Amino acid sequence: MHLADIEKEFAGRLDKIKENKLLTDKHTFVSKEVSDRVHHGKKHINFVKNYMPYIDKAVEQAKKFPGDEKELIDNIGCNLWKLMEELKMYPHSSTPSETP
């Protein structure tokens, strides 16, 4: 959800995302789409560069799909956006906080 406009780019292929079939010995449908966009494997993700700047985009897209745990069993969706929204409510600090 960080890398594409899911509704627009995959409108006629949402079933392929849901099925996420193995395409090669290295890729499922979704992992191939991700790899084609950011050109990395599972071990060299570089989250800060490839994903962090697009978290707000991913949250907005995720809200368009089911987010309830029961709905996620049979549908494309995500509920991590709820955690992201919660985390955004906490102030940023330039120094690490001490843990008790």
Side-chain angles (χ1 to χ4, degrees), residues 83-97:
L83 174 62
M84 296 299 115
E85 296 276 300
E86 287 285 326
L87 291 173
K88 288 168 74 174
M89 293 181 359
Y90 290 92
H92 295 282
S93 174
S94 58
T95 59
S97 62

Side-chain angles (χ1 to χ4, degrees), residues 19-99:
E19 292 171 13
N20 199 27
K21 289 185 178 181
L22 191 63
L23 301 179
T24 69
D25 60 335
K26 294 182 180 182
H27 288 294
T28 62
F29 179 80
V30 173
S31 71
K32 175 90 169 80
E33 290 292 329
V34 170
S35 179
D36 289 348
R37 291 165 194 272
V38 291
H39 310 289
H40 67 66
K42 292 180 181 179
K43 294 183 181 179
H44 305 289
I45 290 175
N46 196 348
F47 184 83
V48 172
K49 177 184 173 201
N50 294 321
Y51 298 94
M52 188 67 117
Y54 308 106
I55 286 179
D56 289 336
K57 175 183 178 178
V59 166
E60 291 308 311
Q61 285 201 93
K63 288 179 179 180
K64 297 176 185 178
F65 293 93
D68 177 79
E69 290 82 4
K70 291 179 182 176
E71 291 179 295
L72 291 174
I73 294 170
D74 295 318
N75 296 289
I76 297 167
C78 165
N79 60 8
L80 284 175
W81 66 267
K82 296 174 185 180
L83 174 62
M84 296 299 115
E85 296 276 300
E86 287 285 326
L87 291 173
K88 288 168 74 174
M89 293 181 359
Y90 290 92
H92 295 282
S93 174
S94 58
T95 59
S97 62
E98 293 182 29
T99 56

